[in-house]
Amino acid sequence: MTESPALAASAPPRSAAHKKYDFSRKYWVFALPAVIVVLSVIVFPWLFTVFMSVHDWKIGGGMDFVGLGNFRTLVFDDRFRESLLITFYFTVLAVVIPIVLGTLAALVFHREFPFRGILRTIFVMPMMATPVAVALVWKMMFHPQLGVLNYLLSLFGIPPSEWVFSTSTVIPTLVMVEVWHWTPLVMLILLGGLAGMPTEPYESAKIDGANSWQMFRFITLPLLWPYIMIALVIRTIDALKVFDIIFVISEGGPGTASETLNIFLYLQAFQFYKLGYSSAVVVIFFTIIVALSLILLYVRQKTKWNS
Amino acid sequence: MPVALERFINRVGFLLSLFVLVSPAILVFFWMLSLSFKNEVDNTAWPPVFVPNPPTMANYVEVFARNNFLLYLWNSIVVTGGAVLVGLIIGVPAGYGIARSKSAKSAVLILIARMTPALSYLIPLFMVFQVLGLIGTKSALLVTHLVITVPIIVWIMIGYFENIPAELEDAALVDGANTWQSFRHVALPLARPGIVVGGILAFIFSWNNFIFSVVLGGKTTRTLPSAIYNVLTFEQISWGPLAAAALLVTLPVLLLTVIAQREIVAGLSSGGLKDG
């Protein structure tokens, strides 16, 4: 023993089981730099936003404490209420369609077939592509007179659409872009689920004469359900916070027809510089996201996704 | 139903689904390529010209000649490269610390940080950078991009370190190594695949980020995604150069997807999350 008696005395008594180290305190040192960064660029903004949301910030300095005034104004702000409805409309479509198509895609890519690798890579590419870059290409494709999409429709004898240039078609059109973008993520999550699936139920079902629909309905779907739930929560969070594609393609228009919560937030904060007011929007938004994240965590733990 | 008929229907259905799933991706990327290699007359022709004939490089030449493209490319490299590097240096040990101390609370914090809309960090950070006089600087952008890179790297590393059995490190500790040495020489080499995955995903999400640069970037400091957006708004729409610029911006990420598909898939299915 080289330890000094004083140190030995202050140290907690060592347990007889020599193998059992308790280094959990020491391990915190590893996280220290990250803790500092997370506190300053993530946790501090959260707290500061809450602080700002109960104040009225004036351009050129100065602020007044307004309590819940910003929230009260929000409740009666027609534009905010409309953006909630638009966000809800967008989110429902942008969750349901990718889940259905992503399930189909996972079943397709779970099979063995020629060129599977290349085709899967192509299918996954939209998810990775820079959203602004592909949004610009979509915008050119949506051009009412010269866009390639209206030409393709005309080949099938379908009259041209106004895509993002009409209030009635703008949300479904943006949903289409979002579906194109993020169905691959749903596919990857479900493909992970399919990979871990037992083969025995299928073999016995085949012996019992089940057809492929019955096998999907009564074996695959129940086994895949936890993964579908994970995809569902992740999609909901992502759809709620959609920004880039709407900002680039329709800028919230025509009028305010595609002004989702995030676009509303951006305009209030960085166009009108209502920083206190927009912080109140962030607080509401953040509450929704945290609730959904906790649901996600709960679902993940139930499926032991990470192990 | 006769077996042969059912098999036929299955096959047709399968091919049809494959076509429906893959063709939209092919269409958009093909159209991007096509626009970028056609001259302006063909780009606005009706009916549309699909295959550039003859292909022209003029759009690419114009992108480099007129739009400070190389400056914005350099900005993107500095901001994303810096944010990924710092993210790895502090995120990898943090993932280790959280995994070994089994701190579920910090894992939840990281998850919520991953899920929070990027835009919501911007209002307070904008005010702080304004006070510090850092609006429009690359350093402000780099620091803000840590909001993206740190949580994803920590999140992925937690998963990887949790899967490395602690017994290996216990053996090193019994042999007299300290915790740093057992991290550096036992856990870290084993977690190398996780570092690659975390680095790649952090790179992609940071590279693709748009809104931070729109708000915090200056005329000469903005990154590529917000730079090409400004090309569209401040100049009259000219499809060829715009498509060429869009393709160049997303090319590094697409190449990375093709090269490192296996790693990306592994990372996304363990992380299961995207950013934005």
Side-chain angles (χ1 to χ4, degrees):
Chain A
M1 281 290 241
T2 53
E3 282 173 320
S4 70
L7 265 177
S10 67
R14 290 201 171 174
S15 66
H18 199 71
K19 273 201 82 178
K20 189 132 175 112
Y21 289 88
D22 180 26
F23 278 104
S24 58
R25 278 178 155 278
K26 272 191 181 175
Y27 284 118
W28 262 109
V29 177
F30 288 95
L32 198 61
V35 167
I36 294 167
V37 169
V38 168
L39 284 179
S40 49
V41 298
I42 293 175
V43 176
F44 163 73
W46 286 347
L47 300 176
F48 196 50
T49 304
V50 175
F51 174 74
M52 286 175 68
S53 72
V54 293
H55 287 86
D56 184 24
W57 292 75
K58 300 207 166 58
I59 304 167
M63 57 168 187
D64 297 320
F65 179 78
V66 293
L68 296 176
N70 285 327
F71 294 93
R72 205 175 302 131
T73 318
L74 265 182
V75 173
F76 296 108
D77 186 339
D78 285 341
R79 197 163 171 178
F80 174 71
R81 289 202 289 206
E82 198 195 328
S83 81
L84 278 181
L85 279 179
I86 293 167
T87 308
F88 182 72
Y89 177 31
F90 180 90
T91 302
V92 170
L93 290 178
V95 169
V96 172
I97 302 171
I99 295 283
V100 173
L101 284 178
T103 308
L104 179 69
L107 293 173
V108 165
F109 285 107
H110 188 56
R111 287 211 206 167
E112 295 278 352
F113 57 91
F115 306 111
R116 182 175 72 159
I118 300 166
L119 290 172
R120 196 183 60 183
T121 304
I122 294 172
F123 183 73
V124 171
M125 270 162 107
M127 186 176 89
M128 291 305 174
T130 310
V132 176
V134 288
L136 289 172
V137 176
W138 277 106
K139 193 171 182 172
M140 294 186 254
M141 293 175 39
F142 289 141
H143 195 285
Q145 282 86 46
L146 303 170
V148 68
L149 288 182
N150 273 345
Y151 173 74
L152 291 176
L153 287 185
S154 74
L155 291 183
F156 295 95
I158 303 170
S161 167
E162 291 185 71
W163 305 110
V164 292
F165 300 96
S166 134
T167 48
S168 58
T169 50
V170 62
I171 291 293
T173 304
L174 291 168
V175 166
M176 184 174 84
V177 178
E178 178 81 356
V179 168
W180 178 87
H181 236 293
W182 293 114
T183 300
L185 183 66
V186 177
M187 187 274 278
L188 287 182
I189 293 170
L190 299 186
L191 210 51
L194 286 174
M197 238 172 233
T199 52
E200 296 86 15
Y202 293 96
E203 281 153 17
S204 49
K206 230 174 229 168
I207 293 167
D208 292 344
N211 64 32
S212 20
W213 167 251
Q214 286 168 325
M215 284 203 271
F216 170 74
R217 172 68 188 81
F218 295 107
I219 304 172
T220 313
L221 203 56
L223 285 172
L224 209 53
W225 199 242
Y227 294 89
I228 294 178
M229 290 306 291
I230 289 170
L232 194 77
V233 182
I234 289 176
R235 266 310 311 147
T236 309
I237 294 171
D238 285 346
L240 283 175
K241 60 186 194 186
V242 62
F243 181 80
D244 292 8
I245 60 161
I246 299 185
F247 189 73
V248 172
I249 297 179
S250 73
E251 291 167 81
T256 54
S258 60
E259 192 172 301
T260 57
L261 207 48
N262 232 350
I263 302 283
F264 174 81
L265 174 57
Y266 174 84
L267 294 176
Q268 295 297 324
F270 298 109
Q271 209 98 80
F272 310 136
Y273 287 99
K274 292 191 195 164
L275 295 176
Y277 193 52
S278 48
S279 296
V281 181
V282 174
V283 170
I284 295 174
F285 209 165
F286 186 70
T287 314
I288 301 171
I289 300 282
V290 169
L292 285 169
S293 300
L294 293 177
I295 296 172
L296 173 66
L297 210 73
Y298 176 73
V299 181
R300 279 166 83 101
Q301 264 161 0
K302 281 193 93 175
T303 55
K304 294 197 179 79
W305 174 257
N306 238 345
S307 64
Chain B
M1 206 179 335
V3 179
L5 183 66
E6 197 195 323
R7 196 175 272 173
F8 176 75
I9 291 173
N10 264 342
R11 203 176 183 85
V12 170
F14 176 77
L15 289 175
L16 200 68
S17 327
L18 195 61
F19 177 79
V20 168
L21 290 168
V22 180
S23 56
I26 294 178
L27 174 71
V28 174
F29 288 115
F30 170 78
W31 196 242
M32 198 182 211
L33 261 167
S34 166
L35 284 172
S36 76
F37 283 109
K38 284 184 304 202
N39 57 43
E40 216 43 39
V41 177
D42 282 353
N43 271 340
T44 51
W46 191 268
V49 176
F50 279 83
V51 181
N53 184 30
T56 168
M57 289 300 287
N59 297 323
Y60 289 91
V61 172
E62 196 179 329
V63 166
F64 283 101
R66 271 184 54 201
N67 296 304
N68 275 337
F69 191 84
L70 290 175
L71 172 72
Y72 300 131
L73 177 65
W74 176 242
N75 293 343
S76 265
I77 291 172
V78 170
V79 169
T80 294
V84 171
L85 201 66
V86 174
L88 286 172
I89 290 170
I90 65 175
V92 173
Y96 177 72
I98 293 174
R100 284 294 172 263
S101 57
K102 299 190 170 58
S103 167
K105 273 183 199 136
S106 21
V108 173
L109 179 76
I110 292 294
L111 178 78
I112 294 174
R114 296 265 308 107
M115 290 310 200
T116 311
L119 190 58
S120 59
Y121 295 107
L122 262 174
I123 300 168
L125 289 177
F126 176 78
M127 297 189 76
V128 171
F129 289 132
Q130 206 168 34
V131 170
L132 298 175
L134 288 172
I135 300 278
T137 63
K138 271 184 281 211
S139 350
L141 273 176
L142 198 156
V143 169
T144 312
H145 274 241
L146 293 178
V147 169
I148 304 168
T149 58
V150 170
I152 181 145
I153 290 170
V154 173
W155 184 253
I156 285 181
M157 292 321 293
I158 293 174
Y160 271 87
F161 282 120
E162 272 176 350
N163 283 338
I164 296 173
E167 284 75 29
L168 291 172
E169 288 153 64
D170 284 347
L173 292 172
V174 168
D175 287 345
N178 60 34
T179 38
W180 169 255
Q181 286 166 328
S182 77
F183 165 68
R184 173 67 191 81
H185 298 291
V186 180
L188 199 59
L190 289 170
R192 193 168 294 160
I195 298 172
V196 173
V197 170
I200 288 175
L201 288 178
F203 176 87
I204 291 175
F205 292 137
S206 165
W207 185 270
N208 285 350
N209 179 277
F210 167 63
I211 184 63
F212 289 161
S213 172
V214 168
V215 175
L216 297 173
K219 248 200 165 86
T220 56
T221 54
R222 55 173 64 114
T223 56
L224 277 175
S226 80
I228 55 160
Y229 174 72
N230 281 295
V231 170
L232 177 83
T233 41
F234 291 127
E235 293 176 26
Q236 275 311 302
I237 302 170
S238 175
W239 286 7
L242 188 59
L247 190 69
L248 288 171
V249 169
T250 193
L251 195 63
V253 170
L254 293 185
L255 286 179
L256 208 56
T257 309
V258 174
I259 297 166
Q261 209 211 135
R262 190 188 301 256
E263 283 79 8
I264 291 171
V265 170
L268 284 175
S269 43
S270 73
L273 313 168
K274 73 152 186 128
D275 198 86

